[in-house]
Amino acid sequence: MNFYAFHLGDYVSATAHLTWDEDMAYRRLLDAYYSREAPIPVEQRQAYRLARASTQEQREAVDSVLQEFFEETESGWFHARCEAEIHAVAGKREKARAAANIGVKTREQKNAELRKFRLEEARKKGSHFDYEWLELLSAGGGRCVKCGSGESVCKDHIT
């Protein structure tokens, strides 16, 4: 996720007791959770690396935060609020993708209908703009659309 809702009131009320290092560890762990859309690895070195904890005090802060705010599972350190937010965004993302696909299909259909209409109008007129002529050649596979000949194809069917 490139964005997640940060509920300041909820965060402050739940973390007012944390030290500066613990607060930083928690924010970095949340950022890692959301950006990876996955639990924090159980292996301590990986968790420290995700939180960029390099000193002993920072590592202790990571351990403390994991114990207080996360639940250890087989797949990693699980955070219920993060999972709920990720799930909600995934649903919105899927709806947006479906809507975009419908829009693309609609535009493609309208463009195809418009090309077909223009080609039909050009065929009726017997003379064409250059881009229409190229589309006619392409539609006819390089052959005359009137007689089917592939020899000396020209705009006005005169060879």
Side-chain angles (χ1 to χ4, degrees), residues 100-130:
N101 285 339
I102 289 170
V104 167
K105 287 178 185 175
T106 301
R107 275 192 306 282
E108 286 174 350
Q109 183 179 0
K110 284 181 182 177
N111 288 341
E113 290 170 3
L114 182 58
R115 275 193 304 277
K116 182 179 176 184
F117 171 76
R118 286 180 178 164
L119 286 172
E120 287 171 357
E121 291 300 306
R123 286 181 185 127
K124 288 178 192 173
K125 289 189 292 185
S127 61
H128 320 286
F129 292 113
D130 286 342

Side-chain angles (χ1 to χ4, degrees), residues 119 122-123 128 131-141 143 145:
L119 286 172
R123 286 181 185 127
H128 320 286
Y131 74 91
E132 292 172 328
W133 170 240
L134 293 174
E135 285 187 23
L136 274 170
L137 275 178
S138 176
R143 305 182 80 71
V145 294

Side-chain angles (χ1 to χ4, degrees), residues 4-157:
Y4 65 89
F6 184 74
H7 303 277
L8 187 58
D10 293 346
Y11 183 84
V12 169
S13 66
T15 62
H17 65 284
L18 297 179
T19 66
W20 192 93
D21 282 341
E22 289 169 336
D23 185 56
M24 179 57 72
Y26 191 29
R27 287 302 307 271
R28 287 185 174 177
L29 289 170
L30 289 175
D31 289 349
Y33 204 111
Y34 282 119
S35 66
R36 297 169 65 245
E37 295 187 26
I40 303 299
V42 174
E43 206 276 304
Q44 285 181 315
R45 291 183 69 195
Q46 291 178 355
Y48 297 154
R49 186 165 180 81
L50 286 174
R52 298 185 304 275
S54 56
T55 68
Q56 184 59 33
E57 293 81 17
Q58 292 169 346
R59 291 178 180 145
E60 288 171 3
V62 168
D63 292 337
S64 174
V65 166
L66 286 171
Q67 290 296 323
E68 183 174 351
F69 295 100
F70 294 77
E71 177 187 342
E72 187 175 1
T73 67
E74 288 181 13
S75 60
W77 289 97
F78 177 86
H79 193 281
R81 177 75 174 258
C82 290
E83 287 296 324
E85 297 285 342
I86 289 168
H87 182 71
V89 168
K92 290 178 184 176
R93 187 184 303 144
E94 194 55 43
K95 285 181 185 176
R97 184 177 294 125
N101 285 339
I102 289 170
V104 167
K105 287 178 185 175
T106 301
R107 275 192 306 282
E108 286 174 350
Q109 183 179 0
K110 284 181 182 177
N111 288 341
E113 290 170 3
L114 182 58
R115 275 193 304 277
K116 182 179 176 184
F117 171 76
R118 286 180 178 164
L119 286 172
E120 287 171 357
E121 291 300 306
R123 286 181 185 127
K124 288 178 192 173
K125 289 189 292 185
S127 61
H128 320 286
F129 292 113
D130 286 342
Y131 74 91
E132 292 172 328
W133 170 240
L134 293 174
E135 285 187 23
L136 274 170
L137 275 178
S138 176
R143 305 182 80 71
C144 178
V145 294
K146 203 159 190 92
C147 70
S149 172
E151 305 266 336
S152 302
V153 179
C154 63
K155 288 185 180 182
D156 296 318
H157 184 69

